[in-house]
Amino acid sequence: DVKVTQSSRYLVKRTGEKVFLECVQDMDHENMFWYRQDPGLGLRLIYFSYDVKMKEKGDIPEGYSVSREKKERFSLILESASTNQTSMYLCASSWGPYNEQFFGPGTRLTVL
Amino acid sequence: AQKITQTQPGMFVQEKEAVTLDCTYDTSDPSYGLFWYKQPSSGEMIFLIYQGSYDQQNATEGRYSLNFQKARKSANLVISASQLGDSAMYFCAMRPNTGNQFYFGTGTSLTVIP
């Protein structure tokens, strides 16, 4: 079974803190994605990566950066957390760009 | 512009009945994939079913089937014989063949009533 894990299920941080969300997949997938999910807005793509050290902006990259140093790991970084970044963050991976995405359990981030 | 629309924010269905969740999409890409995901209250998104834009037949996976009407740009999910465990959020997604993005709808909350 494909397994996508995320470092935390729940996280509480203060405004201005640097926040790291980590995602690891164990199936050698090329593509990895970070979404945020907010009620009534569905899933919105923040960043994605189709190879190690490669990254592309999604629809809402402002305030975020990413890192992919190894194929299995894709990190989302909030350089200076703000209250409007309180959300559910979902990581996903896929074999190829046309295949279904497999999701991790999500991290519910609260920024106070 | 790529767009996915799910017009039903909430749906109710009686246990053992069938239910249809609506999804329409907009793309200028001639080739694309359509996906449905289920998100239970636990939060994890679970892949349910896939339909390719050139597939001649509607996709089926167990109790799930996809009613694909290409000319109308609709890809409705049909769940037959609903079970209590089907209560969840359901998301429709589209993946055009150009670019690397999936586009998700806003979701439909399904509640199965005993």
Side-chain angles (χ1 to χ4, degrees), chain B residues 68-85:
Chain B
F68 180 45
Q69 297 186 48
K70 194 170 183 177
R72 297 180 63 184
K73 293 192 173 179
S74 76
N76 298 339
L77 177 70
V78 181
I79 305 174
S80 62
S82 297
Q83 302 172 356
L84 296 178

Side-chain angles (χ1 to χ4, degrees), chain B residues 5-12 19-23 36-39 86-92 105-111:
Chain B
T5 302
Q6 294 180 256
T7 57
Q8 307 154 312
M11 290 279 287
F12 293 86
V19 63
T20 298
L21 306 184
D22 294 342
C23 173
W36 276 93
Y37 286 85
K38 172 185 178 180
Q39 187 180 41
D86 293 335
S87 293
M89 283 289 288
Y90 288 81
F91 291 91
C92 178
T106 53
T108 296
S109 175
L110 177 67
T111 302

Side-chain angles (χ1 to χ4, degrees), chain A residues 1-110:
Chain A
D1 276 354
V2 175
K3 191 111 176 144
V4 181
T5 56
Q6 295 183 228
S7 48
S8 308
R9 289 302 302 270
Y10 300 93
L11 206 53
V12 179
K13 295 291 181 181
R14 296 228 173 256
T15 303
E17 280 193 79
K18 191 168 186 175
V19 182
F20 292 87
L21 303 182
E22 297 236 306
C23 175
V24 178
Q25 49 93 4
D26 67 357
M27 283 302 290
D28 205 34
H29 283 176
E30 300 285 340
N31 299 267
M32 296 189 75
F33 307 81
W34 274 107
Y35 295 91
R36 66 176 280 177
Q37 182 180 12
D38 301 287
L41 296 178
L43 276 71
R44 293 179 293 167
L45 183 66
I46 304 171
Y47 268 97
F48 62 96
S49 168
Y50 49 88
D51 203 352
V52 175
K53 297 192 187 293
M54 304 300 285
K55 61 185 179 185
E56 284 202 26
K57 294 179 180 179
D59 296 320
I60 51 164
E62 296 80 18
Y64 304 95
S65 62
V66 290
S67 171
R68 192 162 181 207
E69 297 296 318
K70 293 185 178 181
K71 192 175 187 180
E72 67 271 18
R73 190 179 297 268
F74 193 34
S75 301
L76 180 69
I77 303 151
L78 287 65
E79 295 290 342
S80 177
S82 63
T83 54
N84 62 13
Q85 292 178 310
T86 291
S87 186
M88 169 73 98
Y89 290 88
L90 292 167
C91 174
S93 70
S94 66
W95 288 106
Y98 308 108
N99 300 101
E100 70 270 24
Q101 296 185 356
F102 294 88
F103 284 81
T107 296
R108 189 166 292 282
L109 172 68
T110 302

